[in-house]
Amino acid sequence: MRVIRSYLQFAAFIMVFNVLACTPASTKFSELWKDGAYQGPPTKILVINMFKDASIRGFFQDEMIKALKERNIDAVAKRTVVPPDQVVYNTEAMAAQAKEFGADTVLITKPAGFSEHSYLNTRTDVYDMKTKKLILFVSAETRMRMKFTDLQDYYNYVPSYVKDLVNKLSEAGLF
């Protein structure tokens, strides 16, 4: 009887460990600024991701669009607008791209670095194309439970990271 009880306790421990190991990491936001004069909400958002790897960039954009659409916000990915390697921090170029697809807002997420300790850091800038001004930015970081050397790690953590980011944008009053 004692052996069975010990076995069940060990099995329960393993189950709890597995659940905790698979739980998505939480996102921390270190900076947030919003222009108090912004008169939103956006009607359509052009989503741009500046990660160097095309598959990572596309996956992040897809997850961002999915999270926005879950909130009934229309969005389009940059890769459908211009070649993915073109940097578009020029507001006139962004405005032209946004206009082409009827977007009144541009959301740009760029990497702010990865650390040895498997942190994913980003900065997201949001521009209003009516005024061609920055209306919001947020810096975020999440600790990944695995080393960021395998794309599968990225695919495991980005969906929850993006949802946290969209929630923060909503809390900040963007939409």
Side-chain angles (χ1 to χ4, degrees), residues 1-171:
M1 190 68 169
R2 249 188 170 148
V3 172
I4 292 173
R5 190 165 140 195
S6 295
Y7 175 77
L8 289 174
Q9 287 175 338
F10 180 73
F13 171 77
I14 294 297
M15 286 176 33
V16 168
F17 176 78
N18 283 337
V19 167
L20 291 175
C22 295
T23 303
S26 62
T27 303
K28 294 179 182 175
F29 298 93
S30 57
E31 286 184 278
L32 179 105
W33 172 85
K34 182 183 175 225
D35 182 351
Y38 171 66
Q39 299 294 314
T43 57
K44 188 171 190 176
I45 298 175
L46 173 61
V47 175
I48 299 172
N49 182 279
M50 303 303 290
F51 283 66
K52 290 182 181 181
D53 183 279
S55 63
I56 289 174
R57 187 173 49 246
F59 182 71
F60 193 99
Q61 288 176 152
D62 290 345
E63 289 299 313
M64 181 64 77
I65 288 170
K66 185 171 134 184
L68 290 168
K69 289 190 177 199
E70 286 174 0
R71 291 178 171 271
N72 296 318
I73 299 164
D74 195 11
V76 63
K78 173 186 178 253
R79 69 178 173 280
T80 64
V81 181
V82 294
D85 294 328
Q86 183 179 343
V87 176
V88 291
Y89 265 102
N90 175 301
T91 55
E92 294 301 321
M94 283 190 293
Q97 292 170 18
K99 185 178 180 181
E100 184 177 341
F101 282 84
D104 60 350
T105 306
V106 176
L107 185 149
I108 301 173
T109 301
K110 60 183 178 178
F114 297 97
S115 76
E116 290 179 30
H117 303 292
S118 303
Y119 283 91
L120 169 62
N121 301 298
T122 63
R123 175 173 162 140
T124 300
D125 294 332
V126 183
Y127 292 87
D128 178 16
M129 291 295 94
K130 290 177 240 158
T131 62
K132 297 181 185 167
K133 291 184 178 179
L134 179 68
I135 55 171
L136 185 145
F137 74 81
V138 62
S139 296
E141 133 181 317
T142 195
R143 178 156 166 50
M144 298 187 173
R145 299 209 191 301
M146 298 171 250
K147 281 284 188 194
F148 196 80
T149 55
D150 182 354
L151 284 181
Q152 191 57 47
D153 294 349
Y154 182 82
Y155 295 131
N156 289 337
Y157 288 99
V158 164
S160 65
Y161 186 61
V162 166
K163 284 183 181 183
D164 289 345
L165 181 57
V166 169
N167 286 340
K168 190 62 160 182
L169 294 173
S170 179
E171 287 172 15

